[in-house]
Amino acid sequence: MTLAENPINILIHELSKLPGVGEKTAMRLALHILRQPRDYGQRLARALEETVAKVRFCANCQNITTEKICDICASPKRDRTTICVVEDVADLKAIEKSQCYRGYYHCLHGSLSPVDGIGPEELKIGELVQRLTTQIETREIILATNPNVNGDATALYLSKTLKPFDKKITRLATGIPIGGHLEFIDQNTIARAMEGRRVY
Amino acid sequence: MTLAENPINILIHELSKLPGVGEKTAMRLALHILRQPRDYGQRLARALEETVAKVRFCANCQNITTEKICDICASPKRDRTTICVVEDVADLKAIEKSQCYRGYYHCLHGSLSPVDGIGPEELKIGELVQRLTTQIETREIILATNPNVNGDATALYLSKTLKPFDKKITRLATGIPIGGHLEFIDQNTIARAMEGRRVY
């Protein structure tokens, strides 16, 4: 058996393609898996196979789902008049966890990042535009991209692109997080909080 | 389908058991896998299955292998008189890459760490003692554990445990690494290099 044919080298090679996993980390992970009872590796393999076989992106909002349409889009209890646009499924889950929002979502699967070669075509923006032409009950679009360079650029691009639909377009507030200490907050956040101050 | 039955949640749960992978990283990895062409996840799953099915630890030195005995132990070209004791398979590979050593190895699969509950029984020390009783051609044992608290403790423990065998026991030199600048080297390393200075 040559080195390249050895299953662990193949495993290390495949693991090292994951984001944030280099060859050394891949090796550490592979060795960790080997040291576990054999059924751990089998369970992980089965979960992977099941996931790639069954999980797909919601045809409506691009959330992950095992059906054609995700639970949120299929629910009759959601507010059909708002769409909250997020960068990632993880952001969607974070908003759901806060239980502050009962409308629909749209997951872009990334943010504009010219340096990484990510333009509008790489994101699910076309799908959002398509939705707005058919889901005429939409009244408000909340841009919940992250308050950083890429997220802000994405929000700006979206606000221009979606203007023709004549919907209310809003953006999540930026400011001091709850429990934060002014002393430890970066100056940009403080400047934004000052800019966005409200009458008490 | 409930949340717990969803394959991606099972995948996230299994991935989060890997070292250094929390629930958020597991989610990021799972989403990355989903965004790849489907065959990536399938290849990763197959590599995992193959690895846990075929790869095991060498009966002699505890290196990883697909046979009963690893390539190094099976090779007739290796020097049978020395055993280099390493903490991990990754350390073994690093030494092999340097091409400075042609003897045997013994992989402990860890280092003594009382705070983590890792004592001598958790390491492959019993297997090393067993080897020494049968492999009487051994003349030198090189302790190549890492030069940190746990590695030093492991080397000290081994030197005492292996004393009855009356072999030459050595330890890798510690000092300034090649290409290092004294200015940027920590004081412990400088102290050790000074202590271990050699006649020029």
Side-chain angles (χ1 to χ4, degrees):
Chain A
M1 183 169 284
T2 69
L3 267 183
E5 278 166 352
N6 191 321
I8 199 160
N9 290 331
I10 300 171
L11 178 60
I12 291 170
H13 178 70
E14 297 295 348
L15 284 172
S16 66
K17 292 178 190 166
L18 293 171
V21 177
E23 202 159 326
K24 291 201 174 181
T25 306
M27 172 145 194
R28 205 159 50 83
L29 294 178
L31 284 171
H32 175 87
I33 292 166
L34 267 180
R35 291 200 193 108
Q36 302 308 303
R38 187 162 294 185
D39 76 308
Y40 171 64
Q42 289 165 342
R43 266 182 291 134
L44 187 53
R46 205 159 44 233
L48 266 167
E49 271 175 355
E50 288 265 299
T51 299
V52 295
K54 293 186 186 165
V55 178
R56 47 182 148 172
F57 296 119
C58 171
N60 191 41
C61 76
Q62 312 296 326
N63 183 13
I64 48 173
T65 174
T66 51
E67 313 295 329
K68 192 167 184 302
I69 296 289
C70 77
D71 292 348
I72 294 172
C73 289
S75 167
K77 289 182 188 161
R78 308 290 301 207
D79 170 14
R80 304 177 75 84
T81 65
T82 54
I83 296 178
C84 176
V85 181
V86 290
E87 290 181 22
D88 219 324
V89 176
D91 302 333
L92 183 159
K93 294 214 173 189
I95 296 174
E96 279 296 282
K97 226 173 182 173
S98 76
Q99 296 186 311
C100 64
Y101 177 70
R102 297 295 302 161
Y104 283 167
Y105 289 95
H106 191 88
C107 184
L108 298 172
H109 289 279
S111 57
L112 292 177
S113 176
V115 286
D116 301 313
I118 300 175
E121 293 74 32
E122 274 70 46
L123 306 179
K124 306 289 184 186
I125 293 177
E127 287 81 351
L128 177 58
V129 170
Q130 185 58 36
R131 272 180 83 171
L132 290 172
T133 59
T134 53
Q135 292 172 25
I136 48 161
E137 65 272 37
T138 310
R139 280 207 298 260
E140 180 177 354
I141 299 158
I142 304 168
L143 302 177
T145 54
N146 291 312
N148 54 31
V149 174
N150 291 349
D152 285 344
T154 310
L156 184 66
Y157 178 86
L158 283 174
S159 70
K160 286 180 180 171
T161 308
L162 304 180
K163 198 153 197 178
F165 292 99
D166 203 23
K167 311 287 186 191
K168 184 177 174 189
I169 296 179
T170 57
R171 179 114 173 82
L172 287 193
T174 47
I176 320 294
I178 303 300
H181 280 262
L182 281 171
E183 185 184 352
F184 303 116
I185 302 286
D186 68 294
Q187 56 198 39
N188 290 324
T189 300
I190 291 182
R192 290 265 207 127
M194 193 60 85
E195 209 179 291
R197 68 191 182 277
R198 299 189 304 173
V199 177
Y200 193 63
Chain B
M1 184 170 285
T2 69
L3 267 183
E5 278 166 353
N6 193 321
I8 199 161
N9 290 330
I10 299 173
L11 178 61
I12 291 169
H13 178 69
E14 297 294 349
L15 284 172
S16 68
K17 292 178 189 167
L18 292 172
V21 178
E23 202 159 326
K24 290 201 171 177
T25 306
M27 174 144 195
R28 205 160 49 84
L29 295 177
L31 285 171
H32 174 87
I33 292 165
L34 268 179
R35 289 196 195 112
Q36 304 308 303
R38 188 161 296 185
D39 77 309
Y40 170 65
Q42 288 165 342
R43 267 184 292 133
L44 187 53
R46 205 161 42 233
L48 265 168
E49 271 175 354
E50 288 265 300
T51 299
V52 295
K54 293 187 188 163
V55 178
R56 48 182 146 170
F57 297 118
C58 171
N60 191 40
C61 77
Q62 312 295 327
N63 184 13
I64 47 173
T65 175
T66 51
E67 313 296 327
K68 191 166 184 301
I69 297 290
C70 77
D71 291 348
I72 294 173
C73 288
S75 168
K77 288 183 190 160
R78 308 290 302 206
D79 169 15
R80 304 176 76 83
T81 65
T82 53
I83 296 177
C84 178
V85 181
V86 292
E87 290 180 21
D88 220 324
V89 176
D91 302 333
L92 183 160
K93 295 215 174 191
I95 296 175
E96 279 295 283
K97 227 174 182 173
S98 77
Q99 298 187 308
C100 64
Y101 177 69
R102 296 295 301 162
Y104 283 167
Y105 289 96
H106 191 87
C107 184
L108 297 173
H109 288 280
S111 57
L112 293 176
S113 177
V115 285
D116 301 313
I118 299 176
E121 293 74 33
E122 274 70 46
L123 306 180
K124 305 289 183 184
I125 293 177
E127 286 81 351
L128 177 58
V129 170
Q130 185 59 37
R131 273 179 83 173
L132 290 173
T133 61
T134 54
Q135 292 172 24
I136 49 162
E137 64 273 36
T138 310
R139 280 206 298 259
E140 181 177 353
I141 299 158
I142 303 168
L143 302 177
T145 53
N146 291 313
N148 54 31
V149 174
N150 292 348
D152 286 343
T154 310
L156 183 66
Y157 178 86
L158 283 175
S159 69
K160 285 181 181 171
T161 307
L162 305 180
K163 199 154 197 181
F165 290 99
D166 202 24
K167 311 286 185 193
K168 185 176 173 188
I169 297 178
T170 57
R171 180 114 173 80
L172 287 193
T174 47
I176 319 295
I178 304 297
H181 280 262
L182 281 172
E183 186 183 352
F184 303 117
I185 302 288
D186 69 292
Q187 56 198 40
N188 290 322
T189 300
I190 292 183
R192 290 262 209 130
M194 193 58 88
E195 211 178 288
R197 68 190 181 277
R198 296 190 306 172
V199 177
Y200 194 61

